[in-house]
Each structure stands twice: as C-alpha cells, then as structure tokens.
Amino acid sequence: MSHDTKLIVVVRNPVTRAISDYTQTLSKKPDIPTFEELAFRNRSLGLVDTSWNAIRIGMYILHLENWLQYFRLSQMHFVSGERLITDPAGEMGRVQDFLGLKRIITDKHFYFNRTKGFPCLKKPESSSQPRCLGKSKGRTHVQIEQEVIEQLQEFYRPFNIKFYETVGQDFRVVFRTLLVFFATNVTTPPGHPMQFA
C-alpha cells in the first residue's frame, strides 16, 4: 500500500453503536429477536455473543491490529463520532489538518437539526437544500435496560483501553458522556411493544 494513503476512522461508544445498528436493522426487519437475545450467548453469565456483527464491529482494537499490518498508525486519523455530533466544525478542522488541507469548513457551515438530532451542512452554493443525514439516520433508539448497557460496557472495557493506548487518544470521557445522555433520556411510548426511547 502507498505510504501516501490516509485513512479516516470514525469511532463511537461501541455500546451506543451496537444499539444504533440494532435499531436500524429492526426498522427493516421488525420480527428479529430482542437486542438482549442477540447481544448475549448467556446473559446471566455475562457471555457476550461476539459473532453478532453489531457487537464485533465495536471491538475496534481487533480491526486496528489488522489494519496495522498494512498501514502505519501515522496514516490514520481517528474521529470521535460523539464529537462529530457535538462539535462538527472542530472534528472537521482536525480532519482537514490531518489531510494537509486549509481549514475551510468551519462553524458557519453547520446547523443543528433538532428533528434528526444531528448537525447538518448548511445549503451548499450548488444546491437549494441543506445536506443532512439520510432517512435511515437519526432514529430514536430502542430502550435497553441499564443493566444490559453496563454489562456491555464492562465487556468492551479491555478492548477500549487497548485501543486508546494503541492510538494514543482516550475516547473514554466522550464515550461515557454520550452514553449517560442516551441512558437518561429514554421514554416509553404508551403500549408500544418494543418500548422505543
């Protein structure tokens, strides 16, 4: 591989990411098993099912170790998915720096879309509409028991720590902040069998 190749890797709290993946799949296949049934081989023993793709993807260090066989760490830039939501201009500034580009994307290019819960790009000159995430993004997540979230956080902890040490960047505070927000801002619509948050 070329030493000029640069990779941009967006990571987010792996528990939130798994719940988001499940929510998206559920919207297309409403008859799938519950999140808990898919996430655990044996929940009472805390045995997580790493064969389920939604869980496996969040084991970032395993993917990184594979990539490091082909690319140097200096060819990779790690973007916090959580900060991309809360500070899109800051994250894009760091991406532009990594790519050796002049910082032209700034705060003035974004606005927060309350419906989606994500920032959107303001209307580009060549378009009459702003650029937001597609219809499949920004869904309200399925409500997951706090105990399940804690079990998965504990499962991911050693993978996350090794990942942070390898990339030299600690995402812990950002991951924890968004997960606490997610866990404390759930509501259950009356009578809904899936109890969407």
Side-chain angles (χ1 to χ4, degrees):
M1 291 284 169
S2 169
H3 291 294
D4 295 329
T5 301
K6 294 187 177 187
L7 304 176
I8 299 172
V9 182
V10 180
V11 297
R12 67 186 296 198
N13 182 310
V15 177
T16 306
R17 206 216 56 73
I19 294 168
S20 179
D21 187 74
Y22 176 78
T23 300
Q24 179 137 347
T25 303
L26 183 65
S27 73
K28 297 172 186 169
K29 300 177 183 177
D31 57 344
I32 63 172
T34 66
F35 178 85
E36 291 84 349
E37 290 171 324
L38 292 169
F40 293 93
R41 287 185 305 170
N42 185 322
R43 184 169 165 214
S44 61
L45 295 176
L47 298 176
V48 174
D49 189 350
T50 58
S51 70
W52 185 33
N53 197 47
I55 294 294
R56 192 173 54 256
I57 288 174
M59 300 164 71
Y60 301 127
I61 187 61
L62 302 183
H63 306 295
L64 179 60
E65 287 171 344
N66 184 42
W67 300 335
L68 287 172
Q69 295 177 46
Y70 307 97
F71 302 99
R72 297 182 321 270
L73 192 58
S74 61
Q75 291 177 266
M76 300 179 204
H77 176 71
F78 298 89
V79 174
S80 162
E82 283 79 11
R83 280 194 301 256
L84 197 54
I85 295 168
T86 61
D87 180 21
E91 282 299 305
M92 290 305 297
R94 287 183 280 280
V95 167
Q96 291 169 99
D97 292 346
F98 171 71
L99 295 174
L101 302 173
K102 180 181 174 187
R103 283 194 178 203
I104 59 169
I105 301 172
T106 64
D107 282 331
K108 70 179 184 178
H109 292 97
F110 296 95
Y111 76 95
F112 190 79
N113 182 311
R114 292 178 194 265
T115 305
K116 287 272 183 198
F118 288 95
C120 297
L121 281 171
K122 290 182 180 172
K123 184 179 90 167
E125 293 174 20
S126 61
S127 172
S128 61
Q129 297 293 321
R131 302 285 299 173
C132 287
L133 295 171
K135 293 178 184 178
S136 67
K137 300 293 184 182
R139 284 191 179 89
T140 303
H141 287 174
V142 174
Q143 183 175 341
I144 305 298
E145 292 176 37
Q146 185 61 33
E147 183 182 326
V148 169
I149 291 171
E150 289 169 5
Q151 283 181 293
L152 289 173
Q153 284 176 307
E154 197 56 39
F155 165 77
Y156 280 117
R157 188 177 323 281
F159 296 101
N160 288 345
I161 290 170
K162 189 170 181 189
F163 176 71
Y164 306 150
E165 290 170 351
T166 303
V167 301
Q169 204 173 344
D170 191 341
F171 291 94
R172 252 179 296 220
V173 173
V174 178
F175 282 1
R176 192 176 309 115
T177 301
L178 194 67
L179 190 60
V180 167
F181 173 80
F182 167 75
T184 57
N185 286 282
V186 293
T187 56
T188 307
H192 195 291
M194 290 307 294
Q195 297 182 5
F196 284 90

